[in-house]
Amino acid sequence: MQWRETLSPIRMDRVAVIAPADRTRDALEEVARSAAVELELPYTPGDGPEEIDRAAGAAVQNGAVTGLVGWAPSRRVPELQQALNPLGAGVVPLKAPRGVQPPTLLTGNEHRTRQAPKFSRLLVDTYTTVPYADVDPARLAGLAYVVMFGMMFGDAGQGLLLVLAGLIVRSGRIAKIRRFQRTWLFIFGAGLAAVFFGVLYGEFFGPTHVIPVLWLEPVENPIPLLIAALIFGAVLLAFAFTLGTINRVREGGWGYALYARTGLAGALLFLAVGMLAGGLVAGWTPMIVAAAVLALLALVLIFTGLFVEAGGGGTGTMQASVELVDTVIQLASNLVSFTRLAAFGLTHAALMSIVWQGTTALWHPDWRAVLAVLVFLVGNAITFALEGLVAAIQALRLEYYELFSRIFTDEGRPFKPWSPRLPESEASGSSTTERQTP
């Protein structure tokens, strides 16, 4: 499997299942066994054995032939055709109707419909079903999430605890948490990210000086940390605009992408803001002028798209103007939102600094040493739980509101294969046949 295949939904074919009228039921049993076709039925499909007869009764008959239409993954069509051939039945590819979006089936999910999804997959699926034409950002979203989490939860000692927790979850040895086994890689990755930033901050269960500071101490240097968070946020937004532009092209062509706020026009406006910031910092006038021209072009394109979308006329002009101002404000607020990566990283370091100061203040070679250890352990436990929850929520918020809102504008619908339970006689007969087949 090429890596590019994992970035888009599996290709779907519009198909018709054709069978002799007297073999319709047998053909539908093969379709049900394959779980390869989403049939379009004039009722809400069930999953009981009686569903076979219901679907057979709903088939369109023309002379001695019956048929039902639906969607099937392109890669599964030859396999289904081979299963139907002995019955004199077949699968006929059809031209997809215009304006109808095929269902979405993502790579790796073909045989996992009853299993818990991976965390990176769950990140996207909780927000929306990836439209059939769009790029699937699940893996990139998972990576961005753990990096943002680590920046806010930067402590090498507490990060190692998360790494250990991820390995324990992966082992499956504890029955009560076995159902979370598929999330182990996320926990492990989040722990590694926390260790990485903890090493940069010199934090190991707080500012204990167990490890040296490789970059900066958050409490002592909040401004550089804030600038780093803004730069990182700008990089993530650049990726979001890139994916958004690709999706707008795939959804409606270059004409649609050119005027879309989440397409090329929005990307140009974002680029203009970056050029303006660079020009102001460097004091380079030509870059500032180029940024102004590019921003003006982007605003004209966005306004045109909004004007057409609003239906034109005076009302359309007013609506497009308001939405244009909202677009500019929203872009600025989205970028500023990433300062929370620095803010919560600073909060975590400040809390751990308080815990460490309390520990060292109480430490004496007598009974107070026990109290100091207790403060250290309880303080770490509270900070670990509180900041872990906060960092997880804030990283999720940044994913959904700042990034996914640009990548997706429509919602897809998941592929739901028609696969009712077969009557016991047919199911057992099929199993016997499969066991006898070499």
Side-chain angles (χ1 to χ4, degrees), residues 337-413:
S337 286
F338 283 94
T339 58
R340 70 188 64 224
L341 296 176
F344 287 106
L346 178 61
T347 301
H348 186 273
L351 288 174
M352 291 309 303
S353 179
I354 293 172
V355 171
W356 182 242
Q357 289 174 8
T359 301
T360 54
L362 289 170
W363 182 263
H364 286 280
D366 52 28
W367 63 270
R368 284 174 291 183
V370 177
L371 187 58
V373 171
L374 184 62
V375 168
F376 181 77
L377 293 177
V378 173
N380 266 275
I382 293 175
T383 304
F384 182 91
L386 179 62
E387 287 297 304
L389 179 62
V390 168
I393 293 174
Q394 293 301 324
L396 189 64
R397 184 208 175 279
L398 289 171
E399 288 266 21
Y400 284 178
Y401 289 99
E402 323 306 342
L403 302 179
F404 286 177
S405 62
R406 284 171 171 76
I407 296 174
F408 302 113
T409 57
D410 297 321
E411 185 171 2
R413 61 182 186 87

Side-chain angles (χ1 to χ4, degrees), residues 317-357:
T317 302
M318 181 65 70
Q319 180 176 332
S321 300
V322 172
E323 292 190 14
L324 183 65
V325 173
D326 178 69
T327 298
V328 176
I329 295 174
Q330 190 178 53
L331 179 61
S333 65
N334 289 154
L335 184 58
V336 172
S337 286
F338 283 94
T339 58
R340 70 188 64 224
L341 296 176
F344 287 106
L346 178 61
T347 301
H348 186 273
L351 288 174
M352 291 309 303
S353 179
I354 293 172
V355 171
W356 182 242
Q357 289 174 8

Side-chain angles (χ1 to χ4, degrees), residues 197-215:
F197 281 99
V199 170
L200 293 181
Y201 300 158
E203 295 275 326
F204 187 86
F205 294 112
T208 55
H209 305 292
V210 173
I211 57 177
V213 178
L214 294 187
W215 178 35

Side-chain angles (χ1 to χ4, degrees), residues 78-165:
E79 166 196 331
L80 182 59
Q81 181 68 58
Q82 186 177 3
L84 293 176
N85 277 341
L87 302 174
V91 181
V92 180
L94 303 175
K95 185 177 180 180
R98 296 187 64 179
V100 176
Q101 181 179 213
T104 297
L105 176 63
L106 298 166
T107 302
N109 284 1
E110 300 98 315
H111 307 294
R112 296 178 182 175
T113 55
R114 290 185 175 86
Q115 294 184 17
K118 293 182 178 180
F119 184 83
S120 59
R121 172 81 271 130
L122 189 62
L123 269 177
V124 178
D125 289 349
T126 303
Y127 183 82
T128 188
T129 298
V130 178
Y132 179 73
D134 285 8
V135 172
D136 176 23
R139 295 189 178 188
L140 297 176
L143 178 61
Y145 186 95
V146 298
V147 173
M148 289 190 291
F149 179 91
M151 194 170 187
M152 291 183 283
F153 196 76
D155 188 291
Q158 294 182 357
L160 287 174
L161 293 180
L162 280 177
V163 170
L164 179 61

